Amino acid sequence: MFTDNPVRPENYQRFEREIPAWFSDAKLGIFVHWGPYSVPAWAEPIGELGTIEKQHWFKHNPYAEWYFNTIRVEGSPAAAHQRDAFGGAPYDDFIDRWQAEDFDPTDVIDLVKRTGAGYFIPTTKHHDGVTLWEAPGTDGRNTVARGPKRDLIGAFAEATREAGLRFGVYYSGGLDWHFSELPPITADNQAFRRPVDAAYAEYAYAHVADLLERYRPDILWGDIEWPDAGKPSGPFSMERLFEQFYAQTPDGVANDRWGETHWDFRTSEYQNGLSVEGDGGWENCRGVGYSFGHNTREDETHLLDGPAAVKHFVDIVSRGGNFLLNVGLTAAGTVPELQRRTLEHLGAWNAVNGHTVFASRPLDAAIAAPSPADASPWVRWTRTGGAAGSHGAAGAYAHAFIDATGEVSIDGVSPAVIASSAVLADGAPIAVTRIGTTLHLTLPAPAIDGPTLVTFPLA
């Protein structure tokens, strides 16, 4: 995971190809983490991945979906919480306490669609090993036999496709704390202590093959790694799973967390693995808060509010990436109110400005440069229309997203950006004065909080 320069083994090189346009155009996806960990819904909100020293991270893990690991770390606050709140009960008790009694997949996906997202990805099996469908070989440790007593992945898949969105599946191939019974991960030099043997490779293979056959996903989203025994060619090889995937979904895409096998796009997570954010397809994922799983200890101070989510989204798109924003459902199956507010705001902003974001491409920095992250005004650029890099193509536009109001100056803008006919998101003209490579304009307050859109023709 987060390898700077992965190399495809020879038996996987045949899968390499151009990223399908639908994925490059989608820009936004919604992730859902949901499992027995949603019952305790407890983690310490210490900060974002990539900003915390790893030795401290594992003992105080802010990821609520890692609860099964964290409660086994000696001296961790999570272990103390498990003793105090649940009498030290075994983790699997949460499977039966997880009832999903208020789960309405149509309601969840309706919210997803309103954000403007082009795809949706639920977790099918996280590191605790509990599957959200009746996976082969789980001996009843799944949501059909226990807890919700329902095929949750099937429900999500049906609602997603009815809404006209692309459907993906997340599968934790690298970690399964139940199957492997390995000691907890407590330090970075143990990460990620994972099962690599043939028995686990066959078990995981059967799961992903079943997901492909049942749900025909458009996206294969792996996590952590893939068992080493399942990487070479053979009857239970990841190679065979990619064959099955692309045979049934020729324009499907896979991420880069299947070990050094094959990938269509690279992934970063919060502030970790940012070196992959560059040329080629890439996607940044993060939760609305510091956790992917629902965490009752998070409040407004730990979460992206709507305007912050918009800025993060625009920044990623302006650099050529996609944004996979996660929601942690409650144990009952609802979107927590604070997370819902963020998604609703993102959707409202996209309803006004999304035509300059979705299906856009980065604007060459030689034409107009983005501002530094902490600058005022904060400015990002995209382009639409015309062939990429063809400045004079008819119908080619540069779009500036400016997080400021009142009189502002934007530096580093070449004459290829025609300032004399700029318009706001609603099509209203706006006066712009150019002095050299600096544009001067006065911005009204935006209709929806977040960066104000100004569109310019390209010469």
Side-chain angles (χ1 to χ4, degrees):
M1 190 166 83
F2 308 125
T3 302
D4 284 346
N5 297 297
V7 177
R8 286 180 180 83
E10 185 175 352
N11 58 319
Y12 289 92
Q13 291 175 7
R14 61 195 167 97
F15 299 118
E16 187 173 4
R17 70 231 164 87
E18 292 293 321
I19 299 173
W22 75 262
F23 185 76
S24 299
D25 290 347
K27 305 303 181 189
L28 179 64
I30 300 298
F31 215 1
V32 157
H33 276 60
W34 196 25
Y37 46 81
S38 304
V39 175
W42 196 96
E44 297 177 76
I46 60 173
E48 295 187 7
L49 180 67
T51 67
I52 308 294
E53 188 271 325
K54 289 296 181 70
Q55 189 77 26
H56 183 75
W57 174 273
F58 289 110
K59 190 172 184 177
H60 304 275
N61 201 322
Y63 283 4
E65 68 277 12
W66 274 65
Y67 191 73
F68 191 4
N69 188 80
T70 315
I71 60 176
R72 295 183 294 143
V73 176
E74 185 176 355
S76 71
H81 175 74
Q82 182 67 5
R83 289 192 301 269
D84 295 344
F86 302 104
Y91 179 84
D92 275 23
D93 281 8
F94 295 128
I95 302 174
D96 300 307
R97 296 181 62 165
W98 175 27
Q99 296 295 303
E101 63 273 15
D102 296 326
F103 176 52
D104 180 350
T106 301
D107 178 69
V108 174
I109 298 303
D110 180 62
L111 175 60
V112 170
K113 187 169 185 176
R114 291 201 307 276
T115 67
Y119 55 98
F120 172 74
I121 305 174
T123 48
T124 68
K125 185 200 79 164
H126 207 263
H127 312 328
D128 61 6
V130 177
T131 64
L132 276 66
W133 87 106
E134 195 172 19
T138 51
D139 296 327
R141 199 170 180 270
N142 61 65
T143 60
V144 176
R146 297 175 63 179
K149 300 288 182 70
R150 186 172 180 183
D151 177 356
L152 301 175
I153 300 306
F156 274 135
E158 182 179 2
T160 300
R161 293 204 162 99
E162 285 181 354
L165 306 179
R166 295 275 187 158
F167 181 70
V169 291
Y170 164 107
Y171 183 83
S172 173
L175 292 178
D176 190 315
W177 297 317
H178 176 76
F179 184 94
S180 58
E181 297 184 348
L182 290 171
I185 297 169
T186 60
D188 192 34
N189 61 6
Q190 297 172 321
F192 289 85
R193 184 188 285 163
R194 58 187 179 85
V196 299
D197 57 281
Y200 179 59
E202 184 174 346
Y203 179 77
Y205 176 95
H207 284 186
V208 176
D210 195 53
L211 287 170
L212 294 175
E213 183 177 348
R214 286 179 188 249
Y215 310 115
R216 304 182 70 85
D218 302 290
I219 305 168
L220 269 183
W221 215 100
D223 201 10
I224 303 298
E225 251 280 7
W226 189 252
D228 294 355
K231 294 175 183 176
S233 298
F236 302 108
S237 173
M238 190 68 216
E239 180 184 3
R240 288 199 171 190
L241 293 173
F242 283 130
E243 287 177 351
Q244 180 182 349
F245 176 52
Y246 292 118
Q248 66 185 39
T249 311
D251 65 347
V253 292
N255 76 336
D256 61 346
R257 302 192 189 184
W258 305 97
E260 291 196 358
T261 57
H262 162 72
W263 62 94
D264 292 302
F265 63 95
R266 307 298 307 281
T267 56
S268 57
E269 186 170 320
Y270 287 92
Q271 302 300 315
N272 202 25
L274 301 185
S275 61
V276 308
E277 299 181 358
D279 295 335
W282 60 272
E283 176 189 76
N284 174 259
C285 69
R286 61 156 295 156
V288 176
Y290 298 148
S291 175
F292 286 91
H294 177 45
N295 184 7
T296 56
R297 296 196 64 195
E298 290 186 337
D299 58 30
E300 290 96 333
T301 65
H302 308 116
L303 274 63
L304 288 176
D305 63 11
V310 168
K311 283 185 65 175
H312 190 69
F313 175 47
V314 169
D315 174 66
I316 288 168
V317 172
S318 74
R319 294 185 287 116
N322 283 18
F323 182 28
L324 183 60
L325 179 60
N326 180 81
V327 171
L329 296 184
T330 66
T334 60
V335 178
E337 181 56 33
L338 292 178
Q339 296 186 41
R340 180 179 285 272
R341 288 181 201 171
T342 295
L343 268 64
E344 293 279 13
H345 187 100
L346 179 60
W349 190 90
N350 280 332
V352 174
N353 303 287
H355 62 289
T356 61
V357 179
F358 300 111
S360 70
R361 295 295 182 264
L363 182 68
D364 187 339
I367 299 175
S371 67
D374 57 354
S376 181
W378 181 94
V379 183
R380 295 293 182 270
W381 295 85
T382 65
R383 62 164 291 138
T384 58
S390 58
H391 304 165
Y397 296 95
H399 308 284
F401 303 90
I402 309 165
D403 192 32
T405 57
E407 295 182 5
V408 299
S409 299
I410 307 175
D411 298 322
V413 184
S414 82
V417 173
I418 302 172
S420 58
S421 57
V423 297
L424 296 169
D426 61 1
I430 182 170
V432 181
T433 302
R434 176 188 291 278
I435 301 178
T437 60
T438 301
L439 302 182
H440 301 274
L441 60 164
T442 301
L443 295 176
I448 305 294
D449 285 346
T452 296
L453 166 66
V454 183
T455 293
F456 305 85
L458 283 172

